[in-house]
Structure formats: structure tokens, C-alpha cells
């Protein structure tokens, strides 16, 4: 269970950290702008900046060129840069710890960028750009305010002429950031900007950040599925542990009942044991998960930088209230895993608990009815996947995964019992009495053996599913290439 909670915490922290870095980058780039104008596809003509300025309600408009430099003495890393055009000083705050604003073939670096490149004002470095390898001189180090705080200070600022030349923009710009009066009607100004600049998108910084985060939503959803699977398997392990503990102490529990303990007392006894197990696992899982997140963030962000957002910072964001909720989720999962063993322990009559009756190897009707439940959950999962295809919302997919896992859990016990009964005679003839003893042991309590089978089945299901998603994404890309 500790490993399951650690995985849940690590992936949640990584996803939250990536999203926070995206929000920080978008907000810092937008500065004081209320709206951002981007092309429906490609870039904007530079004269669109003058058109935006003339729209009623616009108080300032700054164009920007946004790209990245590949820098580093050994391993190239993407350093995002921005170059402002027009009313840039009115839109974005730009101040310096030392040095000055960049001129031709110069660059101002954020603190983290300067630290990682081990350079200071006056030094030069080579950067791989769309126009080839360029030598750039460091004109200044940005203060940790305004644009200087973007991307955890791993950012660069160039002058517009240099940025246009090295990024091969040919006089075009990537975005226009628009400032308005504090009480302005943004919906009306946005509509006017779209009318004045047909084919453009007009969004607030928050909306643009949300749109950017949609690019990495698939990857994050896959990670959430992995974390849910880890917690799901942890719940199974708690069930198996508590079932074994109850079985081993069956006579002790029976004696306790004979001495006056009520069924409620037995139920609480098992539940408290599971609670202690869950609390200890949660504490270990939160600490281990936070530590694991530091290493995992670098790996995940490396994929995001390579595929979606160049230069995204590895800035770990830990929200302790969120971690407390995840710890409670782990404790709840531990209690859920112990629920069935606790109820069964409380329901066993005193006579049967003290004197074990002869076992009968059969599949009870109740267990067969679990197949109906599993089939229903499978249908719910299919329906949720279909809903996701129609709505393009990721929430139904997460719910479908949960329904599928619950379906596997429900079907595991009856399917295992039926399979053992079906192949039992063949196994008996092949391996003799030991095989019969093993078969009878499984049929006596198929639920306990089904826990391991269900955990393995869930793991294989997720591995196959994730591999299918990755292959589905890979083929169109390679086909296009």
C-alpha cells in the first residue's frame, strides 16, 4: 500500500508542477495584458499590431516573437526566449539585477538560465537556432520580476531584430498581447479584435494556459491511470493481507466471541488494524512519493519539452493540503480492502470459528452473480469511453478506467473458481494428489486467490491499454513523416 500511495502522490505532484510551470510561463509572457491574440494557424503579420492598437478599448498592444535556443556545452537544452515589439514596456515588466537590455546579437538571461550555463554579463555562448549556430553575448541578468520570473527564471529575452533573424520569422510575430482599461468589457473587445483580425484567436491568459495544458492532458491522464492502478493493486494487497490474518486467527476470534465479544467488536478489531496499516502506509507513501516526484518530474518534463513545450522548467510544486487528501484516499483504500475480511470475520458463527468444518469445493451462486456485476461494469466502461469520444472530455475516460478495474475485481473470484473446476480433472491426472489439494484449497476460498489474479489482470490490462494508446499516437506521426 505504501508503494501505491507513493505512486499516487508522485504523479499528482508531477502533474500539478507541470501545470503550475505552464501557468507561470503563460502569465509571465502575457504580463499586464488582458487578452492575447494568436493566429488560427501559423503566425501573424506585423501590421496586425497596428490594427490591434486601433480597436476601441485597447490601451496598449505588444507583439512578441516566442521560440527557444538550444544551449549547453555538452547536452543541448531548450531555453525559451521572448522578444517584444511595440508597447512592450507597457505590457511586460522587465528589470535587471545587473547589466542592461539586449541589443543586436545580445541576450538577457534569467537567473536560472545564467546559473545553468555558468555565464554572466559580458560572456558569450553558442546557441543552436533555426537559422544555425549563433554566438550571443549576455547583456544582462533579469531580476526575478515580470518576465524574469517566467519558467522558474529559466528564460531569455532578445531584441526583436535579433529574434526575427535567428528564428526565421521574416517579419512576422507569434502573438499580440493587448492591455485594456480595468473596467473594460473584455468580451466586446475580444469580438472587435476578431472582427478586425479575421482568422485569429483571442483569449485571456488563463484561457491560453488552459489551452496549453490540453496539449499535455493525454500524458497526464495516462499517468493518473498508472497511479490509480497502483492504488488499486495496493487495495488488493490489503485485502489479501487481512484475509490471511483473519484466517490464521479464526479460532482466536471464535474464542473471543465465545467470551462475550460481539460481531461489532470483531468488525472494529479488523477495521482498526487496517486503519493503522493505512495510516502508516500513508505517512511512508507521502514522504516517499514527494521524494520520487523530484526525479520523476525531470523525466516527464523531458517528454513534454521534446513534444509540446520547449524549455518547460523542472519546478516542483508541493501543495500540502492536496497531499493530505491523497493520504486520506490511501487510508480509505486500505479500509476498503479490509472491509470484506472484517465483515466475514464478524459473521462467522462461534462454533464454526472454533471447530473448522469440512470444506466443500464448489462455486456458490452468489459468486456467479458477480459475473453479472462485472459485465454491467464492463458495459459502463464502454459507454464512458464512447461518451469521451463524443465530448472530448477526459473525465469519462478516468471513470471508465475505474469501472473497468472494479469489473475485473468482481469477475476475478467466479472466473478463477470456474477455471479451476474446468481444468481440475486434467490437472489431477497429470500431477496427482498434490494438484487435487491445491485445487480444493483454491475452491474453498477462491476470493483470496482471486486477489492476486485480479491484480495481475488489472496490471496486464493497463499495460496493454497504454501500449495501444502509445502505438495509436505513434503510427499517425510516423505515417505523416
Amino acid at each position: 500500500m505504501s508503494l501505491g500511495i507513493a505512486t499516487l502522490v508522485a504523479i499528482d505532484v508531477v502533474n500539478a508542477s507541470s501545470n503550475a510551470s505552464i501557468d507561470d510561463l503563460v502569465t509571465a509572457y502575457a504580463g499586464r495584458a488582458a487578452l492575447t491574440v494568436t493566429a488560427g494557424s501559423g503566425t501573424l503579420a506585423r501590421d496586425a499590431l497596428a490594427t490591434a492598437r486601433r480597436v476601441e478599448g485597447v490601451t496598449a498592444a505588444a507583439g512578441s516573437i516566442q521560440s527557444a535556443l538550444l544551449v549547453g556545452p555538452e547536452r543541448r537544452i531548450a531555453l525559451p526566449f521572448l522578444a517584444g515589439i511595440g508597447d512592450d514596456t507597457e505590457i511586460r515588466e522587465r528589470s535587471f539585477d545587473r547589466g542592461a537590455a539586449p541589443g543586436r546579437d545580445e541576450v538577457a538571461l534569467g537567473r536560472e538560465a545564467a546559473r545553468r550555463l555558468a555565464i554572466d554579463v559580458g560572456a558569450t555562448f553558442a546557441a543552436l537556432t533555426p537559422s544555425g549556430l549563433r554566438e550571443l553575448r549576455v547583456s544582462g541578468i533579469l531580476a526575478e520580476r515580470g518576465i524574469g520570473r517566467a519558467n522558474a527564471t529559466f528564460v531569455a529575452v532578445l531584441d526583436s531584430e535579433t529574434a526575427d533573424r535567428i528564428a526565421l520569422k521574416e517579419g512576422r510575430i507569434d502573438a499580440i498581447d493587448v492591455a485594456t482599461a480595468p473596467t473594460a468589457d473584455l468580451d466586446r473587445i475580444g469580438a472587435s479584435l476578431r472582427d478586425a483580425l479575421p482568422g485569429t484567436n483571442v483569449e485571456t491568459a488563463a484561457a491560453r494556459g488552459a489551452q496549453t495544458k490540453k496539449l499535455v492532458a493525454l500524458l497526464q491522464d495516462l499517468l493518473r491511470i498508472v497511479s490509480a492502478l497502483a492504488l488499486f493493486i495496493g487495495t488488493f494487497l490489503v485485502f489479501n493481507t487481512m484475509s490471511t490474518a483473519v484466517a490464521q486467527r479464526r479460532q482466536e476470534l471464535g474464542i473471543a466471541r465465545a467470551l462475550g465479544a460481539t460481531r461489532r467488536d470483531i468488525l472494529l478489531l479488523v477495521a482498526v488494524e487496517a486503519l493503522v496499516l493505512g495510516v502508516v502506509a500513508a505517512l511512508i507513501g507521502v514522504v516517499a512519493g514527494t521524494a520520487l516526484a523530484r526525479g520523476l518530474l525531470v523525466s516527464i518534463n523531458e517528454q513534454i519539452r521534446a513534444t509540446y513545450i520547449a524549455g518547460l522548467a523542472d519546478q516542483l510544486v508541493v501543495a500540502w493540503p492536496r497531499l493530505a487528501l491523497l493520504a486520506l484516499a490511501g487510508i480509505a483504500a486500505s479500509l476498503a480492502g479490509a472491509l470484506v475480511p472484517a465483515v466475514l470475520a464478524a459473521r462467522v458463527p462461534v462454533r464454526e470459528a472454533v471447530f473448522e468444518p469440512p470444506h466443500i469445493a464448489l462455486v456458490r451462486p452468489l459468486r456467479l452473480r458477480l459475473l453479472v456485476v462485472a459485465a454491467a461494469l464492463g458495459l459502463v466502461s464502454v459507454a464512458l469511453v464512447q461518451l469521451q469520444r463524443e465530448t472530448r472530455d477526459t473525465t469519462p475516460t478516468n471513470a471508465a478506467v475505474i469501472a473497468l478495474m472494479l469489473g475485473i475485481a468482481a469477475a476475478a473470484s467466479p472466473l478463477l473458481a470456474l477455471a479451476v473446476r474446468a481444468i481440475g480433472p486434467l490437472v489431477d491426472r497429470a500431477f496427482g494428489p498434490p494438484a487435487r489439494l491445491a485445487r480444493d484449497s483454491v475452491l474453498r476460498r477462491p476470493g483470496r486467490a482471486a486477489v492476486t489474479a485480479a491484480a495481475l489482470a488489472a496490471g496486464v490490462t493497463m499495460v496493454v491499454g497504454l501500449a495501444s494508446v502509445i502505438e495509436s499516437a505513434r503510427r499517425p506521426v510516423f505515417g505523416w513523416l
Side-chain angles (χ1 to χ4, degrees):
M1 179 56 77
S2 296
L3 183 58
I5 296 174
T7 304
L8 183 71
V9 167
I11 289 177
D12 189 85
V13 169
V14 167
N15 285 346
S17 298
S18 297
N19 287 338
S21 294
I22 291 171
D23 287 335
D24 186 57
L25 186 62
V26 171
T27 302
Y29 273 19
R32 303 183 186 93
L35 297 170
T36 298
V37 182
T38 55
S41 61
T43 54
L44 297 166
R46 190 166 293 205
D47 58 11
L49 183 58
T51 303
R53 279 202 194 99
R54 292 194 294 268
V55 171
E56 184 181 355
V58 173
T59 59
S64 63
I65 296 173
Q66 302 173 17
S67 188
L69 306 170
L70 291 178
V71 298
E74 298 177 358
R75 182 171 175 266
R76 298 285 184 182
I77 53 177
L79 172 63
F81 74 78
L82 179 139
I85 302 163
D87 304 326
D88 187 60
T89 55
E90 297 181 40
I91 298 290
R92 281 176 279 271
E93 180 184 359
R94 188 192 304 177
S95 55
F96 300 88
D97 282 340
R98 52 192 179 277
R104 182 181 175 86
D105 293 329
E106 290 185 332
V107 60
L109 298 176
R111 291 177 180 175
E112 179 64 13
R115 186 192 69 80
R116 291 175 66 174
L117 293 176
I119 54 178
D120 207 335
V121 176
T124 61
F125 65 94
L128 190 60
T129 73
S131 63
L133 194 63
R134 299 282 181 175
E135 285 284 335
L136 297 174
R137 178 182 176 275
V138 180
S139 67
I141 304 300
L142 294 163
E144 199 170 339
R145 296 186 296 275
I147 188 64
R149 68 177 176 82
N151 205 39
T153 74
F154 188 68
V155 68
V157 172
L158 278 70
D159 77 303
S160 58
E161 181 187 348
T162 302
D164 181 83
R165 187 174 69 258
I166 68 174
L168 301 178
K169 292 296 182 179
E170 298 179 347
R172 300 181 70 84
I173 55 180
D174 292 302
I176 299 173
D177 295 302
V178 172
T180 64
T183 58
D185 185 347
L186 295 183
D187 291 336
R188 181 186 62 79
I189 295 174
S192 299
L193 285 167
R194 280 186 286 269
D195 290 339
L197 300 167
T200 59
N201 299 319
V202 182
E203 302 170 307
T204 62
R208 194 176 183 200
Q211 189 70 24
T212 305
K213 283 184 282 190
K214 284 183 179 179
L215 296 174
V216 300
L218 175 60
L219 176 61
Q220 292 182 342
D221 283 341
L222 292 177
L223 292 174
R224 290 190 187 99
I225 290 172
V226 171
S227 66
L229 173 62
L231 191 64
F232 185 67
I233 293 175
T235 304
F236 271 147
L237 293 176
V238 170
F239 172 85
N240 200 29
T241 300
M242 298 309 298
S243 295
T244 302
V246 167
Q248 290 175 343
R249 297 161 57 193
R250 186 181 178 87
Q251 289 187 333
E252 294 178 17
L253 296 175
I255 293 171
R257 288 288 311 282
L259 293 176
T262 63
R263 290 184 175 182
R264 182 172 178 272
D265 293 333
I266 300 299
L267 183 67
L268 287 176
L269 173 64
V270 179
V272 169
E273 288 184 11
L275 178 62
V276 172
L277 177 65
V279 169
V280 173
L283 292 175
I284 296 173
V286 167
V287 174
T290 305
L292 178 63
R294 296 183 183 277
L296 188 61
L297 179 65
V298 176
S299 177
I300 297 302
N301 277 0
E302 190 67 30
Q303 297 301 315
I304 294 176
R305 284 190 288 266
T307 311
Y308 305 108
I309 307 165
L312 189 68
D314 297 328
Q315 181 181 15
L316 192 69
V317 177
V318 179
W320 294 107
R322 176 75 176 176
L323 293 188
L325 289 176
L326 295 175
L328 289 176
I331 294 171
S334 181
L335 289 173
L339 180 61
V340 173
V343 171
L344 292 178
R347 285 183 176 179
V348 174
V350 176
R351 178 181 173 79
E352 290 187 13
V354 178
F355 305 103
E356 285 282 342
H359 69 268
I360 303 174
L362 53 80
V363 180
R364 299 175 182 177
L366 176 61
R367 297 193 184 281
L368 290 176
R369 285 198 289 272
L370 288 175
L371 291 176
V372 178
V373 176
L377 289 169
L379 291 175
V380 168
S381 180
V382 172
L384 288 170
V385 170
Q386 185 61 36
L387 178 63
Q388 187 274 334
R389 290 177 177 175
E390 295 174 359
T391 62
R392 299 297 178 183
D393 184 11
T394 58
T395 303
T397 302
N398 298 331
V401 171
I402 294 173
L404 180 61
M405 289 181 180
L406 292 175
I408 291 172
S413 178
L415 288 179
L416 178 64
L418 289 172
V420 170
R421 291 188 67 185
I423 66 173
L426 295 177
V427 175
D428 288 350
R429 285 196 292 269
F431 299 100
R436 179 174 178 79
L437 290 174
R439 174 167 63 89
D440 288 351
S441 177
V442 170
L443 290 174
R444 185 182 183 189
R445 287 190 176 87
R448 199 183 305 168
V451 168
T452 304
L456 290 174
V460 171
T461 299
M462 290 301 103
V463 168
V464 172
L466 291 175
S468 299
V469 170
I470 294 170
E471 182 65 14
S472 298
R474 186 189 70 84
R475 285 191 178 184
V477 173
F478 277 79
W480 176 77
L481 290 175

